[in-house]
Amino acid sequence: EVKLVESGGGLVQPGRSLRLSCAASGFTFDNYAMFWVRQAPGKGLEWVSSISWNSDSIGYADSVKGRFTISRDNAQNSVYLQMNSLTTEDTAFYFCAKEGMARSYDSWGQGTLVTVSS
Amino acid sequence: EIVLTQSPATLSLSPGERATLSCRASQSVHSTYLAWYQQKPGQAPRLLIYDASIRANGIPARFSGSGSGTDFTLTINSLEPEDFAVYYCQQLSDWCSFGQGTKLEIK
């Protein structure tokens, strides 16, 4: 069974940093691209970032480019999101997801809440 | 950036009826890279359809997807009580973007 467990969320002040982790199990992690998607409370889904299986291809939404960094450790079956210079606009649930057929996101974690507030 | 516009924003129907949800892209999307998701309150999204028309594992046959180019549709035949949720389309042609969602509510 595929399992994705996010951690690292919490309350942080504007301008500070936070690092999210996503621990994966139940599949061959280094065969798949991984993704981060966020959802502000009561709002829709917003793609944040993608990383290929070997980290050669990485992409970011314009809203986080230059502030967020995605990375992965295939030995640890984990993907990370380093978030710097956080603003209140970054307050959201952050989900990690796994690549499926035709680049779809076929498995999702339950999310971790990041609240940016003074 | 490819912008996806879903309509209607809210759809009010009764169990047993058919739901038709639309997703329009600002530029052509390769149909292989169009997906649909269902999300219920407090839950992560669930993949329903990928490649515009292929049901994901375990998705009932009452869910179907169609379309090409800039216009895509998710159809749910004979609505069940558990189908009332929010639905999102997603394009994966140019990185990724989601539509703003259609809320399917009980009439």
Side-chain angles (χ1 to χ4, degrees), chain A residues 35 37 39 43-47 50-51 57-60 62 95 100-111, chain B residues 1 32-35 37 39 42-47 49-51 88 90 92-101:
Chain A
F35 315 102
V37 175
Q39 185 171 39
K43 303 298 184 182
L45 301 174
E46 179 187 15
W47 171 70
S50 300
I51 186 167
S57 179
I58 287 175
Y60 299 98
D62 288 344
F95 297 97
M101 297 294 288
R103 304 179 186 169
S104 63
Y105 296 9
D106 70 353
S107 298
W108 298 64
Q110 282 305 301
Chain B
E1 178 192 355
T32 299
Y33 304 128
L34 193 288
Y37 298 82
Q39 188 180 32
Q43 296 185 15
R46 177 174 72 144
L47 175 66
I49 300 283
Y50 64 90
D51 200 346
Y88 295 94
Q90 177 200 40
L92 300 129
S93 273
D94 177 19
W95 289 110
C96 172
S97 56
F98 291 92
Q100 83 280 16

Side-chain angles (χ1 to χ4, degrees), chain A residues 38-108:
Chain A
R38 69 184 181 184
Q39 185 171 39
K43 303 298 184 182
L45 301 174
E46 179 187 15
W47 171 70
V48 173
S49 185
S50 300
I51 186 167
S52 62
W53 66 275
N54 61 358
S55 304
D56 274 2
S57 179
I58 287 175
Y60 299 98
D62 288 344
S63 57
V64 307
K65 201 172 292 183
R67 300 188 300 122
F68 289 13
T69 302
I70 192 171
S71 62
R72 65 189 293 161
D73 183 340
N74 287 344
Q76 297 295 321
N77 287 354
S78 294
V79 60
Y80 308 99
L81 188 68
Q82 177 67 42
M83 305 186 295
N84 299 333
S85 303
L86 285 161
T87 75
T88 56
E89 301 294 306
D90 297 316
T91 293
F93 287 92
Y94 284 74
F95 297 97
C96 74
K98 166 192 164 289
E99 179 188 26
M101 297 294 288
R103 304 179 186 169
S104 63
Y105 296 9
D106 70 353
S107 298
W108 298 64

